Amino acid sequence: MHLLSKLKKLDWGILLLLGLFMIISFLAVRSATFIYPGYTNYDMKQMYYFVAGFAVVTLSVFFDYRILLRFWYVPYLIGLLLLVAVFFTEPVNGARSWFVIGGFQLQPAELVKLTIIMAIAVIMNRREGGTLQFTYDILPVFVVSFVPFLLVMVQPDLGNAIIYVAIVLGMLWIGNVKYLHVAIGIAVVVGGALLFSTLFNTFNTEIKDFLEGKQRSHWYQRINTFVNPEQASSDERYQLERAMIAIGSGGLTGDGYMQGDSKNGRFVPYPYSDSIFVVIGEEFGFQGSAVLLLLYFLLIYRMIIIAFQCYDRRGSYIIIGIVSMFVFQIFENIGMMIGIMPITGITLPFVSYGGTSLLLNMLCIGLVFSIRAHQEKHEDA
């Protein structure tokens, strides 16, 4: 009976949405890789990751998330150790971000997202819903997030580092921050962005020479394309231009499944991973893209409803942190393909190919399920 009662607490609506994402991911990855002999099994690998992820999500209802929060510092410290250890690995695409275990690439920066969310939830819960104080609440939040942020930036992995910032801002916003602190934060962000843009343009040549000397020319190309799109060279704008042409060619209804040529004459880099939205936009058009965004909306909406139903603030904070992560990744990944956001190595949740990112996303959903299944009002574990 205990087993059945826990299984009844599975959110079947979210499970249905995950099943639809699995189908979309399989079709998109298959289409993105079918002309490349070395990548023909990526679609099946993605299915294996999904199967493992569904197992994690289902089993999560039997695990009490409050036990994990009681020892939140353990996974947090393990995550930091992994971020340090990854510097001793061989670089992949100019970055030291992965552990290669057999045929699987483990990216610690992905796993650390969840440890940051748990750490912030515990810290903010100490105020018991009251207004967060800068010294005792906000400053510790910045400390526990800045250390992994710095380590990930050095790898370099700009995409995941920005996601850490999005998580912190989303959780602080829901955590009852003073309006004065919000105003100061906005002023700092806007001022920082203007200062960065000014300094980047003033010392453009010096920055370019420095990054090229460090074998990080792709950083310069991506930043310069976003800050100065009219001055960027054709090589720097290559991915953005190819992506926009491919998406635009899809029109309203798309070119048809496996009929797009973004993988041929109008090649877009990494169509199975970072640029997976280009495949969907080109082959299924505006209609297909709108359906995908609707599914994301339904997933986020359902997670927010679960957060509102939590008796434990820590559970609500965790869900909001996960929602902040998903929303930013969706916005950034699609935005960079249509020219409104800088190009970074951020995947599209539940759709892009990638073992670590997909399993991390499924683990996050599993944590949401655990929170939903352990909301006994009379307990305060």
Side-chain angles (χ1 to χ4, degrees):
M1 293 299 293
H2 180 72
L3 175 64
L4 291 177
S5 64
K6 290 298 182 183
L7 288 177
K8 288 180 180 179
K9 293 186 178 181
L10 286 170
D11 192 301
W12 296 100
I14 291 181
L15 286 176
L16 174 60
L17 291 172
L18 293 179
L20 294 175
F21 282 126
M22 180 178 68
I23 296 173
I24 293 172
S25 179
F26 175 80
L27 295 175
V29 172
R30 183 178 181 84
S31 177
T33 59
F34 79 97
I35 65 172
Y36 303 115
Y39 301 96
T40 52
N41 62 338
Y42 273 29
D43 51 353
M44 292 309 302
K45 284 185 178 180
Q46 187 77 338
M47 292 302 97
Y48 299 149
Y49 296 142
F50 261 109
V51 170
F54 274 113
V56 170
V57 169
T58 304
L59 293 175
S60 64
V61 296
F62 303 104
F63 176 77
D64 193 337
Y65 73 100
R66 293 169 295 188
I67 299 175
L68 191 60
L69 291 181
R70 193 176 301 141
F71 303 100
W72 65 271
Y73 51 87
V74 175
Y76 177 79
L77 292 176
I78 292 175
L80 292 184
L81 290 175
L82 290 175
L83 289 180
V84 173
V86 81
F87 287 111
F88 298 95
T89 62
E90 291 296 322
V92 178
N93 295 330
R96 300 179 187 271
S97 303
W98 295 271
F99 292 108
V100 180
I101 306 173
F104 182 78
Q105 289 185 331
L106 175 65
Q107 190 173 12
E110 291 281 353
L111 302 177
V112 169
K113 296 174 187 176
L114 196 51
T115 67
I116 292 176
I117 291 173
M118 291 189 297
I120 296 175
V122 173
I123 292 172
M124 293 200 309
N125 187 62
R126 297 182 304 188
R127 192 58 56 183
E128 297 183 349
T131 303
L132 298 179
Q133 302 300 312
F134 180 80
T135 304
Y136 299 103
D137 303 305
I138 298 178
L139 189 58
V141 166
F142 279 118
V143 170
V144 299
S145 56
F146 179 75
V147 175
F149 171 85
L150 183 62
L151 291 173
V152 170
M153 281 291 291
V154 175
Q155 290 181 359
D157 185 354
L158 179 62
N160 278 315
I162 296 176
I163 294 175
Y164 295 169
V165 176
I167 289 171
V168 172
L169 295 179
M171 295 184 71
L172 285 178
W173 178 257
I174 203 67
N176 197 8
V177 182
K178 291 181 179 179
Y179 288 121
L180 175 61
H181 293 158
V182 174
I184 294 174
I186 293 175
V188 169
V189 171
V190 174
L194 292 175
L195 178 62
F196 175 82
S197 178
T198 302
L199 292 176
F200 182 81
N201 288 324
T202 302
F203 301 99
N204 191 286
T205 303
E206 292 82 355
I207 293 174
K208 180 179 180 180
D209 294 339
F210 174 78
L211 292 178
E212 287 181 347
K214 297 292 185 179
Q215 297 182 342
R216 298 175 183 174
S217 58
H218 62 287
W219 274 37
Y220 172 82
Q221 293 174 2
R222 290 176 174 180
I223 297 173
N224 192 53
T225 301
F226 183 72
V227 176
N228 304 304
E230 71 287 347
Q231 299 177 9
S233 67
S234 58
D235 289 340
E236 293 170 353
R237 291 182 54 84
Y238 178 81
Q239 183 172 3
L240 175 60
E241 289 180 345
R242 300 305 94 182
M244 294 180 68
I245 290 173
I247 294 173
S249 71
L252 179 64
T253 59
D255 297 335
Y257 183 55
M258 286 192 173
Q259 300 302 311
D261 60 356
S262 63
K263 306 172 289 297
N264 298 303
R266 293 199 292 263
F267 176 75
V268 178
Y270 304 107
Y272 55 88
S273 180
D274 300 351
S275 305
I276 196 86
F277 181 75
V278 176
V279 177
I280 296 173
E282 183 182 26
E283 298 186 355
F284 298 97
F286 175 80
Q287 293 178 346
S289 301
V291 169
L292 179 63
L293 291 176
L294 176 61
L295 295 179
Y296 279 128
F297 170 80
L298 294 174
L299 176 65
I300 298 302
Y301 172 78
R302 183 55 197 156
M303 291 173 63
I304 292 176
I305 292 298
I306 295 175
F308 280 138
Q309 295 173 343
C310 286
Y311 296 120
D312 182 6
R313 292 189 196 89
R314 296 171 301 177
S316 297
Y317 291 151
I318 290 174
I319 295 176
I320 294 303
I322 294 173
V323 166
S324 300
M325 179 182 72
F326 285 162
V327 169
F328 179 79
Q329 286 189 229
I330 296 166
F331 179 75
E332 166 61 25
N333 181 274
I334 296 177
M336 71 183 184
M337 292 295 104
I338 59 177
I340 63 174
M341 292 294 286
I343 294 179
T344 60
I346 292 180
T347 57
L348 191 60
F350 304 107
V351 178
S352 293
Y353 172 82
T356 306
S357 60
L358 177 57
L359 291 177
L360 181 276
N361 291 336
M362 297 295 275
L363 184 60
C364 287
I365 297 296
L367 189 55
V368 173
F369 278 22
S370 177
I371 292 170
R372 183 174 184 266
H374 296 87
Q375 287 301 311
E376 297 85 354
K377 188 173 183 180
H378 61 280
E379 294 186 16
D380 188 21

